[in-house]
Amino acid sequence: MTATIMIVEDEADLSLMLRYNLEAEGFRVAAAATGDDAAEMVRDAQPDLILLDWMLPGLSGIELCRRWRARQETASIPIIMLTARGEEEERVRGLETGADDYVVKPFSIPELLARIHALLRRSSPQLVTSILKAGDLELDRTSHRVRRSGRDIHLGPTEYRLLEYLMRSPGRVYSREQLLDAVWGTDVYVDERTVDVHVGRLRKAINRGRNPDPIRTVRGTGYAFDERFQVMG
Ligand code: CA
């Protein structure tokens, strides 16, 4: 299972940057640019955590926070406020309104991620398992280490993200295009054959000797992490 994070932020660049980093971290992302869109979206997106900008066109962050806290189905969703420097008063008001935490812009991504993980560990511990395991293969999302049969495997950053993404949903088949979007990002132009090259490198790194291959090539479609690998390993 993957946690869904809803970004409510009207600055498009910041929203995109957050989306990119959260997706790279393995979160599902829903983004709204106005308070009214966010109010609409929250029902469908069912976020596990909300990043809420304070200064929004239309419904303000503080009003949204108050509404969500008052409704039973949204009352317990952790909310991190994104505030501008100098909005001390709003921060205090925000915490009074029920936000769980806040960061001051410009904030560092590692710090924000640490706060997100801390809140999710409290609210939804099942969503933040840091170790993915399948058969004799183990991937630690905190230290970014990969082991097979207890032995460290060194992967390049792209191979790591590729493996992490595939391991999250064993059996699910991804097209090359989906993998490009998820692993390389939607704003990067890379040829689809690049995916094949990196899958090749990933296989070479994780499969030694007669080890079974956990990556399945689905002809005419793309790749999947083999769901049978759990029992094969
Ligand atoms: Ca804003």
Side-chain angles (χ1 to χ4, degrees):
M1 249 192 114
T2 309
T4 299
I5 297 188
M6 186 160 98
I7 304 168
V8 187
E9 169 59 71
D10 60 314
E11 288 166 52
D13 290 351
L14 179 56
S15 181
L16 261 181
M17 190 271 280
L18 286 170
R19 173 189 282 277
Y20 179 80
N21 282 283
L22 291 170
E23 285 179 347
E25 191 71 8
F27 295 113
R28 217 176 289 130
V29 173
T34 69
D36 302 85
D37 285 351
E40 277 284 306
M41 188 184 275
V42 78
R43 265 164 252 134
D44 290 334
Q46 298 198 308
D48 299 291
L49 184 144
I50 299 170
L51 297 179
L52 180 59
D53 180 29
W54 229 223
M55 301 296 278
L56 289 168
L59 263 178
S60 74
I62 208 159
E63 183 51 34
L64 275 171
C65 191
R66 190 175 291 133
R67 285 189 189 190
W68 285 333
R69 282 297 173 256
R71 289 215 331 258
Q72 202 195 337
E73 60 272 33
T74 48
S76 60
I77 304 175
I79 296 175
I80 300 179
M81 293 161 41
L82 313 176
T83 65
R85 199 178 287 282
E87 289 173 348
E88 188 68 45
E89 207 176 301
E90 306 221 310
R91 252 171 270 157
V92 174
R93 266 175 74 205
L95 294 173
E96 280 171 4
T97 317
D100 298 272
D101 202 355
Y102 66 86
V103 291
V104 181
K105 295 177 190 175
F107 45 81
S108 88
I109 289 292
E111 188 199 335
L112 178 66
L113 291 174
R115 284 166 189 245
I116 289 173
H117 280 289
L119 278 175
L120 286 176
R121 263 195 299 277
R122 265 191 351 232
S123 63
S124 335
Q126 78 285 4
L127 290 175
V128 281
T129 47
S130 61
I131 295 181
L132 301 177
K133 267 188 196 161
D136 60 351
L137 197 61
E138 197 178 288
L139 180 144
D140 186 330
R141 297 157 102 179
T142 310
S143 62
H144 283 212
R145 286 175 105 180
V146 176
R147 295 168 151 249
R148 185 154 192 188
S149 301
R151 205 167 43 148
D152 278 323
I153 289 171
H154 298 284
L155 297 178
T158 305
E159 285 72 38
Y160 172 84
R161 285 203 299 272
L162 197 51
L163 179 64
E164 201 264 342
Y165 193 70
L166 291 170
M167 274 185 93
R168 266 191 260 150
S169 308
R172 179 159 169 195
V173 180
Y174 294 99
S175 68
R176 288 172 178 78
E177 197 186 345
Q178 285 172 320
L179 291 173
L180 278 179
D181 285 352
V183 176
W184 279 261
T186 44
D187 50 347
V188 184
Y189 182 77
V190 206
D191 195 276
E192 289 191 2
R193 274 168 299 183
T194 306
V195 177
D196 301 328
V197 172
H198 286 273
V199 168
R201 284 188 199 156
L202 174 60
R203 278 180 164 145
K204 202 173 162 201
I206 60 178
N207 302 328
R208 296 257 173 92
R210 285 157 189 264
N211 283 345
D213 185 2
I215 313 283
R216 192 155 58 89
T217 303
V218 183
R219 236 169 256 288
T221 311
Y223 297 99
F225 191 86
D226 199 326
E227 69 275 28
R228 293 166 308 171
F229 186 68
Q230 198 80 43
V231 282
M232 282 156 43

